Amino acid sequence: MDLATITYIVVGLTFTVYIAIAIAARAGSTQEFYVAGGGIHPIANGMATAADWMSAASFISMAGLIGISYNGYGGSVFLMGWTGGYVILAMLLAPYLRKYGKFTVPEFIGDRYYSDTARVVAVICLILCSVTYVIGQMKGIGVAFSRFLETDYETGLYTGMVIVFFYAVLGGMKGITYTQIAQYVVLILAYTIPAIFISFQLTGNPIPQLGLGSTLVGSDTFLLDKLDRVLLETGFKEYTTSVRLSTLNMFAYTASLMIGTAGLPHVIIRFFTVPKVRDARKSAGYALVFIAILYTTAPAVAAMARLNIMQTIEPSSGQHLLIEERPQWFKNWEQTGLLAIQDKNGDGRLQYVADSQRNELVKLDNDILVLANPEIAQLPNWIIALVAAGGLAAALSTAAGLLLAISSAISHDLLKSTFYPSISEQMELNASRGAMAVAVFGAGYLGLNPPGFAAGTVALAFGLAAASIFPALMMGIFSSRVTREGAITGMVLGLGVTLFYVFQHKGIMFVADWRFLPSLGKNWFFGIEPNAIGCVGAAVNFMVALGVSRLTGEPPERVRKLVQEIRIPSGSVTVPLHH
């Protein structure tokens, strides 16, 4: 059976499971639509959270970021930042927000800071973060279809939209939760099975995490030592020690990803779905374990795939691959545009070196390391099909979570809580479904017509969450003195500083011609790159909010009481709040 047929069967089976779950888990109330009825088991919620979090970028691109773009050690910022964020979430946010007992992040901010303005600012921040992410997921769906199922990009995207529309609009959080559990199983199998095979082939150890630190088969040389030597011989930096720009920049990048993760709304709302406060902390712990399975495998995939590619191009020292004899997987991926070669010196051999003037592997996309891995290792077709299903599961699960965050912000926080508080529960549920449908079609449109800045804004989403939502939540939980004036000013200025630095480097809305203040130079703020500036925006938010709060009157007594009750480790807060 050929690869395309097997892939259609595997992907078709997974989609059938997703639709069956959506029908079985239809939401019948706003509570089921927003928080799955609040009765999800911590292990199930941990698995759903892991799928919600691990997007197409985590599944497809992260190993390439570590192995190619950031050359090994420099890519550790993603591993430490994205997993460390869950520790902060588990210890400092999730249990307290579950104790609060409502539905959404803007609802907490609006009530805690006794202000509809604060609620609306939080909604704007949430939508900015979520929309930037959704564009990437919808593009991921279209690209995965076009590469593996040999459809055109638009057909793939429309199919993905129909699937997401079906289970997200019908089931809300309830349908999304149970679908995400199935998607987690698919994506983790798709990621780890090729890694196990490749680790065994290279090191004789079937556990990739251990294989990374093992010796190569038939040799006393460690895999990482071999990779370091091969890279140094071709002019690249050493894989195990190369820092991303500077130690301070790596620290800032890690901190931005960490607090950005803890502030992403589509992840936070998952902790409103468990029965008790204790369960919120437990489910965050389970999520960290489920995420760690992939995130500890990624460095092994990155290093092993990079070594495989280097050895394919230069089988022995000084002997480069004849271009006419390049393997079939090479030719397959050249057709996708992710891989490109140019025989610059006309010797008929392929050179892959750090010097751009001599380098003949002119295009090596990050996505190659995961997507081409099964073919590089000559694994059977069913594993390649599983990788396709895994990539789609990763993109679909995150897209659904983000779309729910957007629709609940519109229907619950703007419509119900701000503009039309008297609408009935059924009308709100219908409005939620309508907002979800609009969000799905809007995301599909942006996927079909992606703005030029789509790639840049995915990284920016973490900076926005770090600079706006995270400080507001932290101060809202742990300080009864922060006022609405302080919180609003802090969010606006934190966002402003982050956007100023990013747009100054990359151009307003990522249009290169709209750059400004070029005389400041590149990474002028202590050598910190734009993608790492979110932690600086967060620091500005904290300082401004606390400073302005000192100059304004104390919050009302009922708000100070709310803050105290949230931090008591039992029960749930049901303090009536009226604006």
Side-chain angles (χ1 to χ4, degrees):
M1 198 180 296
D2 69 334
L3 175 60
T5 305
I6 294 174
T7 307
Y8 270 107
I9 292 170
V10 172
V11 171
L13 285 172
T14 60
F15 280 10
T16 302
V17 170
Y18 304 156
I19 291 170
I21 290 170
I23 293 169
R26 179 185 169 91
S29 66
T30 52
Q31 189 179 24
E32 288 187 340
F33 193 90
Y34 292 136
V35 292
I40 304 298
H41 190 278
I43 294 177
N45 192 54
M47 205 175 285
T49 304
D52 201 348
W53 168 241
M54 289 190 290
S55 64
S58 285
F59 184 91
I60 296 172
S61 300
M62 187 174 66
L65 283 169
I66 296 167
I68 300 173
S69 298
Y70 288 59
N71 201 47
Y73 177 70
S76 62
V77 295
F78 297 104
L79 302 171
M80 294 185 293
W82 283 338
T83 51
Y86 271 89
V87 178
I88 294 176
L89 198 56
M91 303 308 294
L92 301 180
L93 292 180
Y96 303 106
L97 290 173
R98 177 63 190 87
K99 176 75 182 298
Y100 168 65
K102 298 291 183 69
F103 290 156
T104 68
V105 171
E107 187 172 23
F108 171 76
I109 289 175
D111 286 352
R112 164 58 187 86
Y113 296 113
Y114 50 101
S115 166
D116 282 341
T117 305
R119 189 195 312 273
V120 171
V121 170
V123 168
I124 292 168
C125 294
L126 182 151
I127 290 174
L128 273 173
C129 296
S130 301
V131 165
T132 58
Y133 240 134
V134 161
I135 295 169
Q137 302 317 304
M138 300 311 281
K139 281 188 74 178
I141 291 166
V143 169
F145 264 102
S146 63
R147 283 178 202 153
F148 288 107
L149 298 174
E150 299 173 10
T151 66
D152 57 79
Y153 176 85
E154 289 77 11
T155 303
L157 187 59
Y158 287 133
T159 307
M161 281 174 63
V162 169
I163 299 296
V164 172
F165 180 88
F166 196 91
Y167 73 76
V169 173
L170 192 66
M173 178 61 94
K174 189 177 178 185
I176 287 170
T177 297
Y178 292 109
T179 307
Q180 283 174 336
I181 292 168
Q183 287 165 336
Y184 174 78
V185 173
V186 171
L187 75 87
I188 206 67
L189 288 174
Y191 202 86
T192 53
I193 288 174
I196 288 167
F197 274 98
I198 292 164
S199 177
F200 188 73
Q201 284 178 353
L202 285 174
T203 68
N205 192 323
I207 302 171
Q209 293 88 337
L210 299 179
L212 182 62
S214 300
T215 56
L216 294 166
V217 171
S219 167
D220 293 330
T221 305
F222 284 93
L223 183 147
L224 287 172
D225 289 341
K226 173 72 171 177
L227 181 56
D228 277 343
R229 188 162 65 246
V230 169
L231 288 171
L232 288 170
E233 286 172 358
T234 49
F236 292 97
K237 292 181 179 178
E238 199 171 52
Y239 192 84
T240 53
T241 59
S242 59
V243 172
R244 173 71 176 177
L245 299 184
S246 69
T247 304
L248 177 62
N249 180 69
M250 285 187 65
F251 175 84
Y253 212 138
T254 304
S256 295
L257 294 175
M258 201 175 282
I259 60 178
T261 295
L264 281 175
H266 74 289
V267 174
I268 293 171
I269 59 173
R270 289 235 51 92
F271 298 103
F272 291 96
T273 66
V274 291
K276 300 192 292 288
V277 175
R278 181 189 301 169
D279 295 334
R281 201 185 296 272
K282 280 184 181 177
S283 64
Y286 285 122
L288 188 58
V289 171
F290 291 130
I291 290 166
I293 295 171
L294 188 146
Y295 272 55
T296 56
T297 306
V301 170
M304 292 172 187
R306 182 77 185 269
L307 181 61
N308 265 335
I309 289 170
M310 301 294 289
Q311 290 185 326
T312 299
I313 294 170
E314 192 174 346
S316 59
S317 183
Q319 289 296 312
H320 295 95
L321 176 72
L322 281 167
I323 292 174
E324 288 184 0
E325 295 179 2
R326 65 194 187 279
Q328 186 59 44
W329 69 264
F330 224 96
K331 296 173 185 176
N332 293 344
W333 287 96
E334 281 179 73
Q335 293 172 10
T336 67
L338 295 180
L339 199 65
I341 61 175
Q342 181 184 348
D343 188 5
K344 293 179 179 177
N345 59 9
D347 67 351
R349 292 184 180 273
L350 180 60
Q351 291 188 71
Y352 177 34
V353 294
D355 181 0
S356 60
Q357 299 298 317
R358 295 189 299 117
N359 179 42
E360 296 176 341
L361 185 61
V362 292
K363 177 73 180 290
L364 177 61
D365 194 277
N366 290 335
D367 298 353
I368 284 284
L369 290 199
V370 169
L371 298 178
N373 230 351
E375 291 170 82
I376 295 171
Q378 299 178 322
L379 301 181
N381 281 348
W382 68 267
I383 293 181
I384 301 171
L386 189 60
V387 170
L392 287 166
L396 289 167
S397 60
T398 304
L402 290 163
L403 291 166
L404 180 68
I406 293 169
S407 70
S408 60
I410 293 168
S411 63
H412 187 71
D413 295 308
L414 291 183
L415 194 67
K416 171 73 174 176
S417 300
T418 308
F419 298 122
Y420 300 104
S422 61
I423 63 169
S424 67
E425 182 177 346
Q426 188 57 48
M427 287 175 67
E428 186 185 351
L429 182 60
N430 293 338
S432 301
R433 289 203 165 106
M436 176 72 83
V438 171
V440 170
F441 288 115
Y445 175 79
L446 290 171
L448 287 170
N449 305 281
F453 56 86
T457 53
V458 172
L460 178 60
F462 291 94
L464 296 178
S468 58
I469 295 171
F470 176 77
L473 291 175
M474 283 292 290
M475 290 183 288
I477 291 167
F478 292 102
S479 172
S480 59
R481 182 64 185 84
V482 178
T483 63
R484 62 184 172 192
E485 295 85 359
I488 293 168
T489 311
M491 281 193 285
V492 170
L493 287 180
L495 263 183
V497 166
T498 304
L499 288 173
F500 171 84
Y501 195 76
V502 171
F503 288 163
Q504 185 264 322
H505 278 78
K506 301 186 178 184
I508 297 170
M509 301 309 291
F510 296 86
V511 178
D513 292 340
W514 293 357
R515 290 192 185 102
F516 54 92
L517 298 177
S519 59
L520 289 173
K522 191 176 179 182
N523 304 335
W524 52 268
F525 190 78
F526 296 101
I528 296 173
E529 63 186 304
N531 286 353
I533 203 66
C535 65
V536 178
V540 169
N541 188 333
F542 276 115
M543 289 188 290
V544 169
L546 293 170
V548 171
S549 295
R550 290 289 176 191
L551 302 175
T552 50
E554 285 194 353
E557 174 62 30
R558 61 185 171 81
V559 172
R560 297 201 299 275
K561 184 180 177 184
L562 169 68
V563 175
Q564 293 302 318
E565 290 196 14
I566 283 176
R567 296 210 302 268
I568 296 170
S570 63
S572 72
V573 176
T574 54
V575 179
L577 294 166
H578 305 286
H579 300 297

